[in-house]
Amino acid sequence: MIESYKKSSYSDLGINYDFLQDNLVYSSKNVLRGLHYQEKFPQGKLVSVIEGEIFDIAVDIRKGSSTFGKYIAIELSAENKCQLFIPCGFAHGFVVLSNSATFSYKVDNYYAPKYDRGIAFDDPTLGINWQLPLADLQLSDKDKKHPNLLDITDLFE
């Protein structure tokens, strides 16, 4: 048995979010999703992998933050059972390293498609090494069209 979430344990760590929804995403090898965020209804997320392995990224997009434009990267897998908490004000993306992956995330705000936004995965300002040759990455048409971080005006304060 794995206890994947216990509110009191996260509260002890200073993570006091009321998660409203759980989502599951299934993706194949080399599929990259992101870097996504919601403009008006930001989401805090608790992410983990149920099957397979991913390379997960969270980018600070809060304009006044001392870590604005910096990112954290971690490999999440069914084997290592690690989780990543991504607070509001961060963009999120991942690429699948295994043949397939089932990715789980809890969110503290509902999905609002009208306010769905993104940042270019290959933004040179961010300098993210996605752990795979860029030519091998598979992106949706939507994810190919996101602007670079410094070209976005509707970021969080």
Side-chain angles (χ1 to χ4, degrees), residues 38-49:
Q38 283 189 177
E39 176 189 358
K40 294 205 186 248
F41 301 100
Q43 294 177 314
K45 298 178 182 178
L46 180 63
V47 299
S48 59
V49 171

Side-chain angles (χ1 to χ4, degrees), residues 38-127:
Q38 283 189 177
E39 176 189 358
K40 294 205 186 248
F41 301 100
Q43 294 177 314
K45 298 178 182 178
L46 180 63
V47 299
S48 59
V49 171
I50 296 170
E51 174 266 324
E53 181 179 17
I54 67 167
F55 183 68
D56 204 49
I57 301 284
V59 180
D60 186 350
I61 58 172
R62 301 167 298 165
K63 284 185 192 173
S65 171
S66 63
T67 57
F68 174 76
K70 305 289 185 206
Y71 69 90
I72 185 169
I74 185 173
E75 287 187 16
L76 300 175
S77 70
E79 185 176 314
N80 71 20
K81 298 171 185 54
C82 291
Q83 294 179 316
L84 178 63
F85 174 70
I86 304 165
C88 295
F90 283 70
H92 176 247
F94 67 92
V95 65
V96 178
L97 302 176
S98 53
N99 286 333
S100 64
T102 303
F103 180 78
S104 170
Y105 58 103
K106 296 180 149 333
V107 293
D108 73 333
N109 212 339
Y110 297 111
Y111 177 59
K114 180 178 176 182
Y115 299 105
D116 187 33
R117 303 288 185 269
I119 299 166
F121 77 98
D122 59 352
D123 182 337
T125 303
L126 301 177

